[in-house]
Amino acid sequence: MSFEANLAALNVELPPAPKAMGLYKPAITVGNLVYLSGHGPLSTDGTLQLGKVGQDVEQEVGNAAARQTGLAMLATLKAHLGSLDKIKRLVKTFGMVNCVDGFTQQPAVINGFSELMKEVFGEDCGVAARSAIGVNALPAGMTVEVEAIFELNDE
């Protein structure tokens, strides 16, 4: 199956591709790599999922927010590339969790993003090198922010 077919099989709705909220581009291609700026958990209605894990929301809600962030990132990739089938693999993920001091389960939260990438791109192409850290605040109070690097197919 193609990556587009995998996404369709999940029967999920992508949010609108996020627009830049500052002086940057959501995606830039350099050579055969696509660099994605930090994305947040953008819902299909255009709102961000907000809250600090361990204070306002539970870990499971953070995990769902990380998955929603992945859907926003897929929307950006489709807008930037035209098709997910131009992607060869996910190379690197950097996930940030808005959380209270002492919270240590950032990897479990960012797994929401990583599990979606595995579902769409498969075990070989969707599991990447990754970092998951906790931060004391994120833009607009969003729950998670993820940036990523994807490799493109040779064309």
Side-chain angles (χ1 to χ4, degrees):
M1 283 176 81
S2 74
F3 298 148
E4 286 285 342
N6 290 349
L7 178 62
L10 292 176
N11 198 30
V12 294
E13 182 180 357
L14 294 181
K19 304 228 183 308
M21 296 172 34
L23 189 57
Y24 65 91
K25 294 184 179 192
I28 288 200
T29 300
V30 177
N32 69 337
L33 297 176
V34 178
Y35 294 82
L36 287 147
S37 294
H39 280 60
L42 185 68
S43 299
T44 55
D45 66 2
T47 61
L48 283 170
Q49 296 176 13
L50 308 177
K52 185 178 285 282
V53 178
Q55 175 179 302
D56 307 313
V57 298
E58 297 298 320
Q59 178 178 318
E60 295 77 22
V61 173
N63 179 279
R67 182 178 178 87
Q68 189 63 39
T69 300
L71 293 172
M73 197 168 278
L74 293 174
T76 294
L77 285 167
K78 284 178 67 77
H80 184 71
L81 300 172
S83 171
L84 297 180
D85 292 328
K86 293 184 177 180
I87 294 170
K88 184 174 184 178
R89 70 163 296 115
L90 174 60
V91 176
K92 173 73 171 141
T93 300
F94 179 66
M96 295 161 274
V97 179
N98 182 0
C99 60
V100 296
D101 289 347
F103 181 78
T104 60
Q105 297 304 307
Q106 293 85 0
V109 171
I110 298 302
N111 276 348
F113 174 88
S114 298
E115 289 162 359
L116 175 66
M117 294 301 116
K118 181 181 172 186
E119 290 171 17
V120 173
F121 299 108
E123 178 83 33
D124 291 336
C125 300
V127 179
R130 186 183 87 172
S131 300
I133 65 166
V135 298
N136 69 347
L138 286 170
M142 60 189 176
T143 307
V144 298
E145 183 173 358
V146 178
E147 55 183 58
I149 302 169
F150 288 82
E151 182 181 11
L152 297 174
N153 290 316
D154 298 327
E155 294 187 271

